[in-house]
Amino acid sequence: MDVAAWCTRSRVWVVSGKGGVGKTTVSATLAATAAAAGLSVLVVELEGKHGLGAMFGRGGTVGYDPVGLRGAGPEDAAGTGGPPAGAIWARRLTPDDALLEYLADHGLQRVSKRLVSSGVLDVVATAVPGIRDVLVLGKVKQLERAGIADMVILDAPATGHAMTFLTSASGLLDAARGGPLRQQASDVVELLRDPARCRVLPVTLPEEMPVSETVEAAALIDERVGIHLGPVVVNCYEEPKPELETPAADAARAAGVTLAEAARAKLDAAREFRLRRLRLVEEQVARLAHELPLPQLRIPNIPGPSIGPAELDHLSAAMARAIEGLDEAGGPT
């Protein structure tokens, strides 16, 4: 399937998964993949997220004001002149910042900062559960409607918080009888339930616990939120290596090398360990396909302590190949 066509099946992609599965890495990889296909991309971080800028070779953290990550400047995110093709920028959304902007848009700019600094938001959040998440999702909805990018990628909280985050608007919609808050919740629910506007991209590792949690979360998202699910991203996937089936002594003999018995034993022990790991990966990937029958986008493991621009380009190329392997309906060819 064409990469650009797949990426634009929805305008907002919510990258979700268990903590530690690499959601930020996948968000950056998806952004780089879409940009390489000629699309403009905005990556939205939430509170507590870090590391996105470093993957694109930029120091520091991402703030509320848009920052260009690749081929873009802050002015591009304002919508002036249209988004440049292949540009990536990012911004961080917090409930306080979203509230300040919401109040300013409703003529309360002079008192908005005082309300936030005095802790009024905390009081309101206690009285009206879900309002923090609705404020953030309302801003995402505003960004999507403004059309400032071909694709908005939301680096969502870990699965536990993500369920509360994604269901907050429908809960508030049921609780609020009227007014701007109910309209905001209604608009967010409309966004989340329209697959042309929003989809969830689940992320997992090929390990037992992340796979189990991904399957469970996908069922809850479908049942309680009604968001359309995209393919499952299997992060840190390792391809089977048939050459590891050959014992060290046979490989040495074929290469015309003589191995000492101690060296042969160590090589075979390492080979068996690696084989067990790869078999476990295949078992979990097969279980994921059986229990959650969605297409899979498999991206490789990158050895090393961190992901930088070179590693990100490698992951992006792998994701592009995985997307190209889907058919027009979004399934594997």
Side-chain angles (χ1 to χ4, degrees), residues 128-131 134-135 167-177 181-182 184-185:
V128 187
I131 190 173
V134 170
L135 285 167
T167 57
S168 59
S170 56
L172 191 56
L173 187 61
D174 293 336
R177 295 184 178 181
L181 194 57
R182 190 180 198 283
Q184 182 83 302

Side-chain angles (χ1 to χ4, degrees), residues 17-39:
K18 178 180 172 63
V21 299
K23 294 187 302 299
T24 300
T25 298
V26 170
S27 296
T29 300
L30 181 58
T33 303
L39 302 177

Side-chain angles (χ1 to χ4, degrees), residues 156-193:
T159 302
H161 182 196
M163 290 307 304
T164 304
F165 178 71
L166 294 172
T167 57
S168 59
S170 56
L172 191 56
L173 187 61
D174 293 336
R177 295 184 178 181
L181 194 57
R182 190 180 198 283
Q183 184 59 53
Q184 182 83 302
S186 177
D187 290 344
V188 168
V189 170
E190 185 180 328
L191 164 71
L192 295 178
R193 293 180 178 174

Side-chain angles (χ1 to χ4, degrees), residues 38-74:
L39 302 177
S40 57
V41 186
L42 172 64
V43 183
V44 175
E45 287 189 326
L46 302 181
E47 290 180 294
K49 294 287 185 177
H50 300 284
L52 181 65
M55 296 184 197
F56 289 91
R58 296 185 60 92
T61 59
V62 175
Y64 189 74
D65 294 327
V67 57
L69 297 179
R70 183 174 287 180

